[in-house]
Amino acid sequence: EDKVVQSPLSLVVHEGDTVTLNCSYEVTNFRSLLWYKQEKKAPTFLFMLTSSGIEKKSGRLSSILDKKELFSILNITATQTGDSAIYLCAPKASGTYKYIFGTGTRLKVLA
Amino acid sequence: DTAVSQTPKYLVTQMGNDKSIKCEQNLGHDTMYWYKQDSKKFLKIMFSYNNKELIINETVPNRFSPKSPDKAHLNLHINSLELGDSAVYFCASLGSGTHTGELFFGEGSRLTVL
Protein backbone atom coordinates (compact mmCIF):
# COMPACT_ATOMS: atom_id res chain seq x y z
CA GLU A 1 0.00 0.00 0.00
CA ASP A 2 1.25 3.49 -0.86
CA LYS A 3 2.43 5.53 2.08
CA VAL A 4 3.45 9.13 2.80
CA VAL A 5 5.02 10.28 6.05
CA GLN A 6 5.86 13.88 6.83
CA SER A 7 8.13 15.04 9.60
CA PRO A 8 8.18 16.75 11.91
CA LEU A 9 4.45 16.80 12.64
CA SER A 10 4.78 20.27 14.08
CA LEU A 11 7.45 22.86 14.49
CA VAL A 12 7.72 26.21 16.28
CA VAL A 13 10.49 28.59 15.24
CA HIS A 14 11.32 32.27 15.48
CA GLU A 15 11.33 34.71 12.62
CA GLY A 16 14.55 34.53 10.68
CA ASP A 17 15.15 30.84 11.37
CA THR A 18 15.58 28.31 8.56
CA VAL A 19 13.39 25.20 8.55
CA THR A 20 13.57 21.91 6.70
CA LEU A 21 10.44 19.83 6.26
CA ASN A 22 10.62 16.22 5.19
CA CYS A 23 8.31 14.06 3.09
CA SER A 24 9.08 10.34 2.81
CA TYR A 25 7.05 8.21 0.47
CA GLU A 26 6.53 4.67 -0.68
CA VAL A 27 4.70 4.79 -3.99
CA THR A 28 4.81 2.07 -6.61
CA ASN A 29 5.79 3.52 -10.00
CA PHE A 30 6.41 7.00 -8.62
CA ARG A 31 5.88 9.86 -11.09
CA SER A 32 5.75 13.19 -9.28
CA LEU A 33 5.36 14.92 -5.94
CA LEU A 34 3.51 18.11 -5.08
CA TRP A 35 4.04 20.48 -2.16
CA TYR A 36 1.21 22.65 -0.84
CA LYS A 37 0.81 25.35 1.81
CA GLN A 38 -2.46 25.49 3.71
CA GLU A 39 -3.33 28.46 5.85
CA LYS A 40 -6.96 28.98 6.79
CA LYS A 41 -8.67 27.69 3.68
CA ALA A 42 -7.63 25.97 0.46
CA PRO A 43 -4.19 24.41 0.00
CA THR A 44 -2.13 26.53 -2.37
CA PHE A 45 0.40 25.08 -4.75
CA LEU A 46 4.12 25.50 -4.07
CA PHE A 47 6.12 23.03 -6.18
CA MET A 48 5.90 20.00 -8.39
CA LEU A 49 8.94 17.73 -8.47
CA THR A 50 9.57 14.95 -10.93
CA SER A 51 13.35 14.59 -11.21
CA SER A 52 15.92 13.79 -8.55
CA GLY A 53 18.46 16.39 -7.56
CA ILE A 54 16.93 19.36 -9.34
CA GLU A 55 16.11 22.11 -6.91
CA LYS A 56 12.94 24.11 -7.39
CA LYS A 57 13.03 27.59 -5.93
CA SER A 58 10.55 30.33 -5.26
CA GLY A 59 11.79 33.22 -3.18
CA ARG A 60 12.74 31.89 0.25
CA LEU A 61 11.26 28.48 -0.43
CA SER A 62 13.06 25.66 -2.17
CA SER A 63 12.46 21.96 -2.61
CA ILE A 64 14.33 18.95 -3.86
CA LEU A 65 13.52 15.31 -4.57
CA ASP A 66 15.57 12.17 -3.98
CA LYS A 67 14.01 9.31 -5.92
CA LYS A 68 16.61 6.83 -4.76
CA GLU A 69 16.02 7.42 -1.04
CA LEU A 70 12.32 8.18 -1.63
CA PHE A 71 11.98 11.54 0.00
CA SER A 72 11.59 15.23 -0.68
CA ILE A 73 12.48 18.21 1.46
CA LEU A 74 11.05 21.69 1.59
CA ASN A 75 13.32 24.42 2.89
CA ILE A 76 12.21 27.80 4.07
CA THR A 77 14.94 30.34 4.83
CA ALA A 78 14.56 33.55 6.84
CA THR A 79 11.11 32.50 8.02
CA GLN A 80 8.39 35.09 8.54
CA THR A 81 5.15 34.94 10.52
CA GLY A 82 3.31 34.65 7.20
CA ASP A 83 4.96 31.27 6.67
CA SER A 84 2.90 29.86 9.54
CA ALA A 85 0.77 27.18 7.92
CA ILE A 86 0.41 23.46 7.36
CA TYR A 87 2.70 22.16 4.65
CA LEU A 88 1.46 19.13 2.73
CA CYS A 89 3.19 16.85 0.28
CA ALA A 90 1.45 14.53 -2.18
CA PRO A 91 3.21 11.95 -4.36
CA LYS A 92 1.61 10.35 -7.37
CA ALA A 93 2.24 7.18 -9.32
CA SER A 94 2.48 6.89 -13.10
CA GLY A 95 -0.70 6.02 -14.91
CA THR A 96 -2.96 7.18 -12.11
CA TYR A 97 -4.73 10.38 -11.15
CA LYS A 98 -4.41 9.60 -7.45
CA TYR A 99 -2.48 12.04 -5.25
CA ILE A 100 -1.98 10.77 -1.70
CA PHE A 101 -1.44 13.47 0.86
CA GLY A 102 0.81 13.18 3.87
CA THR A 103 -0.30 14.13 7.37
CA GLY A 104 1.29 17.53 6.96
CA THR A 105 3.76 19.56 9.02
CA ARG A 106 2.26 22.35 11.08
CA LEU A 107 4.72 25.25 11.15
CA LYS A 108 4.36 28.17 13.52
CA VAL A 109 6.69 31.14 13.17
CA LEU A 110 6.87 33.45 16.17
CA ALA A 111 7.63 37.15 15.81
CA ASP B 1 -13.42 34.87 -10.99
CA THR B 2 -12.91 31.98 -8.59
CA ALA B 3 -11.32 29.08 -10.45
CA VAL B 4 -12.79 26.27 -8.32
CA SER B 5 -15.87 27.24 -6.37
CA GLN B 6 -17.82 25.20 -3.85
CA THR B 7 -21.23 25.77 -2.31
CA PRO B 8 -22.16 25.94 0.41
CA LYS B 9 -19.08 27.04 2.34
CA TYR B 10 -20.68 26.08 5.65
CA LEU B 11 -23.32 23.48 6.38
CA VAL B 12 -24.73 22.59 9.79
CA THR B 13 -27.24 19.76 9.89
CA GLN B 14 -28.69 17.02 12.04
CA MET B 15 -27.73 13.37 12.02
CA GLY B 16 -29.77 11.36 9.58
CA ASN B 17 -30.32 14.19 7.13
CA ASP B 18 -29.28 14.16 3.47
CA LYS B 19 -27.18 16.99 2.07
CA SER B 20 -25.33 17.98 -1.10
CA ILE B 21 -22.22 20.01 -1.82
CA LYS B 22 -21.64 21.44 -5.26
CA CYS B 23 -18.41 22.20 -7.07
CA GLU B 24 -17.74 24.05 -10.29
CA GLN B 25 -14.47 24.84 -12.05
CA ASN B 26 -14.02 27.36 -14.86
CA LEU B 27 -10.50 26.27 -15.79
CA GLY B 28 -11.47 23.84 -18.53
CA HIS B 29 -9.88 20.90 -16.69
CA ASP B 30 -10.98 17.35 -17.42
CA THR B 31 -10.38 15.79 -13.99
CA MET B 32 -11.97 16.71 -10.68
CA TYR B 33 -11.73 15.35 -7.15
CA TRP B 34 -13.36 15.28 -3.77
CA TYR B 35 -11.09 15.20 -0.72
CA LYS B 36 -12.13 15.02 2.94
CA GLN B 37 -10.06 16.84 5.56
CA ASP B 38 -10.60 15.77 9.15
CA SER B 39 -9.95 17.70 12.34
CA LYS B 40 -6.29 16.68 12.28
CA LYS B 41 -5.97 18.23 8.83
CA PHE B 42 -5.43 14.91 7.08
CA LEU B 43 -6.55 15.22 3.43
CA LYS B 44 -8.02 11.95 2.23
CA ILE B 45 -9.03 11.32 -1.37
CA MET B 46 -12.62 10.17 -1.85
CA PHE B 47 -13.50 10.31 -5.54
CA SER B 48 -12.23 11.48 -8.88
CA TYR B 49 -13.93 11.98 -12.21
CA ASN B 50 -12.35 12.40 -15.62
CA ASN B 51 -14.66 13.82 -18.25
CA LYS B 52 -17.77 12.72 -16.33
CA GLU B 53 -16.43 9.22 -15.78
CA LEU B 54 -15.65 7.91 -12.27
CA ILE B 55 -11.96 6.94 -12.14
CA ILE B 56 -11.20 6.86 -8.42
CA ASN B 57 -13.54 5.52 -5.79
CA GLU B 58 -11.79 5.06 -2.49
CA THR B 59 -13.15 3.11 0.46
CA VAL B 60 -15.98 5.49 1.17
CA PRO B 61 -19.37 4.49 2.65
CA ASN B 62 -21.98 4.19 -0.07
CA ARG B 63 -23.93 6.93 1.67
CA PHE B 64 -21.61 9.19 -0.32
CA SER B 65 -22.52 9.51 -3.98
CA PRO B 66 -20.67 11.79 -6.38
CA LYS B 67 -22.22 13.02 -9.59
CA SER B 68 -20.62 14.80 -12.52
CA PRO B 69 -23.22 16.22 -14.92
CA ASP B 70 -20.45 17.65 -17.10
CA LYS B 71 -16.70 18.02 -16.79
CA ALA B 72 -16.95 21.44 -15.14
CA HIS B 73 -19.14 20.22 -12.27
CA LEU B 74 -18.71 17.61 -9.57
CA ASN B 75 -21.28 17.33 -6.81
CA LEU B 76 -21.26 15.26 -3.66
CA HIS B 77 -24.45 13.93 -2.11
CA ILE B 78 -24.40 12.44 1.38
CA ASN B 79 -27.28 10.37 2.72
CA SER B 80 -28.09 9.61 6.34
CA LEU B 81 -25.43 11.90 7.76
CA GLU B 82 -23.42 10.68 10.74
CA LEU B 83 -21.36 12.56 13.34
CA GLY B 84 -18.16 11.22 11.77
CA ASP B 85 -18.99 12.92 8.49
CA SER B 86 -18.18 16.27 10.08
CA ALA B 87 -15.17 17.57 8.18
CA VAL B 88 -14.09 20.03 5.53
CA TYR B 89 -14.73 18.72 2.03
CA PHE B 90 -12.46 20.05 -0.69
CA CYS B 91 -13.10 19.91 -4.38
CA ALA B 92 -10.09 20.08 -6.70
CA SER B 93 -9.36 20.00 -10.40
CA LEU B 94 -6.25 18.74 -12.14
CA GLY B 95 -4.30 21.23 -14.17
CA SER B 96 -3.37 20.93 -17.82
CA GLY B 97 -1.04 22.73 -20.22
CA THR B 98 1.53 24.76 -18.29
CA HIS B 99 -0.14 23.63 -15.05
CA THR B 100 -0.14 19.92 -15.88
CA GLY B 101 -0.09 17.82 -12.72
CA GLU B 102 -1.06 20.64 -10.38
CA LEU B 103 -4.15 20.36 -8.21
CA PHE B 104 -6.34 23.46 -7.93
CA PHE B 105 -8.43 23.45 -4.77
CA GLY B 106 -11.70 25.09 -3.92
CA GLU B 107 -12.04 26.89 -0.60
CA GLY B 108 -13.70 23.97 1.09
CA SER B 109 -17.14 23.23 2.50
CA ARG B 110 -17.23 22.80 6.26
CA LEU B 111 -19.85 20.25 7.22
CA THR B 112 -20.93 19.97 10.85
CA VAL B 113 -23.26 17.14 11.81
CA LEU B 114 -25.02 17.54 15.17
Side-chain angles (χ1 to χ4, degrees), chain A residues 88-108:
Chain A
L88 299 158
C89 70
K92 186 181 89 67
S94 285
T96 173
Y97 290 89
K98 188 172 167 183
Y99 287 91
I100 306 162
F101 279 83
T103 46
T105 293
R106 192 183 290 264
L107 173 66
K108 190 170 175 67

Side-chain angles (χ1 to χ4, degrees), chain A residues 45-90:
Chain A
F45 175 76
L46 294 175
F47 300 110
M48 181 165 75
L49 303 156
T50 55
S51 304
S52 271
I54 298 173
E55 187 184 53
K56 294 268 180 122
K57 207 166 159 59
S58 176
R60 297 175 295 102
L61 276 66
S62 63
S63 184
I64 200 157
L65 178 67
D66 187 326
K67 285 160 74 171
K68 188 178 171 199
E69 300 298 329
L70 307 182
F71 73 90
S72 174
I73 59 171
L74 175 69
N75 276 320
I76 310 174
T77 58
T79 51
Q80 301 171 355
T81 54
D83 296 326
S84 296
I86 296 171
Y87 290 85
L88 299 158
C89 70

Side-chain angles (χ1 to χ4, degrees), chain B residues 2-6 22-26 32 72-75 91:
Chain B
T2 307
V4 182
S5 58
Q6 298 179 223
K22 296 187 174 188
C23 178
E24 176 181 3
Q25 53 97 2
N26 62 6
M32 295 180 71
H73 295 85
L74 179 60
N75 303 324
C91 176

Side-chain angles (χ1 to χ4, degrees), chain B residues 45-95:
Chain B
I45 190 167
M46 300 174 71
F47 302 104
S48 179
Y49 272 75
N50 178 269
N51 247 322
K52 302 194 294 176
E53 185 184 330
L54 182 66
I55 56 170
I56 295 173
N57 185 355
E58 288 295 288
T59 313
V60 177
N62 57 16
R63 299 181 294 104
F64 289 78
S65 50
K67 273 200 174 57
S68 182
D70 55 62
K71 72 175 195 178
H73 295 85
L74 179 60
N75 303 324
L76 184 65
H77 187 76
I78 317 170
N79 287 328
S80 305
L81 278 156
E82 300 177 358
L83 294 176
D85 298 332
S86 296
V88 181
Y89 292 84
F90 283 100
C91 176
S93 68
L94 183 63

Side-chain angles (χ1 to χ4, degrees), chain B residues 20-37:
Chain B
S20 291
I21 307 171
K22 296 187 174 188
C23 178
E24 176 181 3
Q25 53 97 2
N26 62 6
L27 299 166
H29 296 160
D30 289 339
T31 305
M32 295 180 71
Y33 300 80
W34 278 112
Y35 279 86
K36 178 181 180 182
Q37 190 171 50

